[in-house]
Amino acid sequence: MKSKHNFVIALLIVALCSASISFHCNHKRWAQWRSEMQRRSEIARSRLLGLRALTIVKCFTVKDAVGKNMIRVGRDYDGGYVMVDDFSECEAAYSF
């Protein structure tokens, strides 16, 4: 009878160790998967931010002002700004 109990106890210990190892491996895989998903999410966010920045930069490209006069605005020796001479309805002008 004792040998039967010892066998059952040994079987339970083996089962618990197996379950513990399985949990540890699955937990490790889960952590790796979650880490990979976070990394991919960060890459996607940075790509989206890059696309937004590119869209904004494209808005500031130099364009030809067909049929308009250009004027230099600014003080002497400050580099100045070349802008379209169309300030009739403007209170402020910005040059990027």
Short mmCIF file of all heavy atoms in Angstrom, two decimals, residues 1-11:
data_model
loop_
_atom_site.label_atom_id
_atom_site.label_comp_id
_atom_site.label_asym_id
_atom_site.label_seq_id
_atom_site.Cartn_x
_atom_site.Cartn_y
_atom_site.Cartn_z
N MET A 1 0.82 -1.19 0.00
CA MET A 1 0.00 0.00 0.00
C MET A 1 0.87 1.26 0.00
O MET A 1 0.51 2.23 -0.65
CB MET A 1 -0.92 -0.04 1.23
CG MET A 1 -2.00 0.98 1.18
SD MET A 1 -3.22 0.46 0.00
CE MET A 1 -4.57 1.37 0.51
N LYS A 2 1.98 1.20 0.76
CA LYS A 2 2.86 2.36 0.81
C LYS A 2 3.46 2.65 -0.55
O LYS A 2 3.60 3.80 -0.94
CB LYS A 2 4.00 2.11 1.82
CG LYS A 2 3.72 2.62 3.16
CD LYS A 2 4.99 2.54 3.97
CE LYS A 2 4.76 3.28 5.26
NZ LYS A 2 5.95 3.35 6.05
N SER A 3 3.83 1.61 -1.27
CA SER A 3 4.42 1.82 -2.59
C SER A 3 3.43 2.45 -3.55
O SER A 3 3.79 3.25 -4.42
CB SER A 3 4.97 0.51 -3.16
OG SER A 3 3.92 -0.39 -3.40
N LYS A 4 2.13 2.14 -3.39
CA LYS A 4 1.10 2.74 -4.23
C LYS A 4 1.00 4.24 -3.93
O LYS A 4 0.88 5.05 -4.84
CB LYS A 4 -0.23 2.03 -3.99
CG LYS A 4 -1.28 2.36 -5.01
CD LYS A 4 -2.50 1.50 -4.80
CE LYS A 4 -3.49 1.73 -5.90
NZ LYS A 4 -4.70 0.95 -5.73
N HIS A 5 1.03 4.60 -2.62
CA HIS A 5 0.97 6.00 -2.22
C HIS A 5 2.20 6.75 -2.73
O HIS A 5 2.10 7.87 -3.21
CB HIS A 5 0.85 6.14 -0.70
CG HIS A 5 -0.47 5.73 -0.16
ND1 HIS A 5 -1.64 6.36 -0.49
CD2 HIS A 5 -0.81 4.74 0.72
CE1 HIS A 5 -2.66 5.78 0.14
NE2 HIS A 5 -2.17 4.78 0.89
N ASN A 6 3.36 6.12 -2.59
CA ASN A 6 4.59 6.75 -3.07
C ASN A 6 4.53 6.99 -4.58
O ASN A 6 4.98 8.02 -5.08
CB ASN A 6 5.81 5.88 -2.73
CG ASN A 6 6.11 5.87 -1.24
OD1 ASN A 6 5.62 6.74 -0.52
ND2 ASN A 6 6.86 4.90 -0.79
N PHE A 7 3.98 6.02 -5.30
CA PHE A 7 3.84 6.16 -6.75
C PHE A 7 2.90 7.32 -7.08
O PHE A 7 3.19 8.14 -7.96
CB PHE A 7 3.33 4.84 -7.35
CG PHE A 7 3.09 4.95 -8.83
CD1 PHE A 7 4.15 4.95 -9.71
CD2 PHE A 7 1.79 5.06 -9.34
CE1 PHE A 7 3.94 5.05 -11.08
CE2 PHE A 7 1.57 5.17 -10.69
CZ PHE A 7 2.65 5.16 -11.58
N VAL A 8 1.79 7.44 -6.40
CA VAL A 8 0.83 8.53 -6.64
C VAL A 8 1.46 9.87 -6.30
O VAL A 8 1.32 10.85 -7.06
CB VAL A 8 -0.47 8.30 -5.82
CG1 VAL A 8 -1.38 9.52 -5.88
CG2 VAL A 8 -1.21 7.07 -6.32
N ILE A 9 2.17 9.93 -5.19
CA ILE A 9 2.83 11.18 -4.81
C ILE A 9 3.88 11.56 -5.86
O ILE A 9 3.97 12.72 -6.27
CB ILE A 9 3.46 11.05 -3.41
CG1 ILE A 9 2.35 10.99 -2.36
CG2 ILE A 9 4.40 12.21 -3.12
CD1 ILE A 9 2.83 10.66 -0.96
N ALA A 10 4.67 10.59 -6.31
CA ALA A 10 5.68 10.85 -7.33
C ALA A 10 5.01 11.32 -8.62
O ALA A 10 5.51 12.25 -9.30
CB ALA A 10 6.51 9.59 -7.58
N LEU A 11 3.90 10.71 -8.97
CA LEU A 11 3.17 11.09 -10.18
C LEU A 11 2.65 12.53 -10.06
O LEU A 11 2.75 13.32 -11.01
CB LEU A 11 2.01 10.11 -10.41
CG LEU A 11 1.27 10.22 -11.73
CD1 LEU A 11 2.23 9.94 -12.89
CD2 LEU A 11 0.11 9.26 -11.78
#
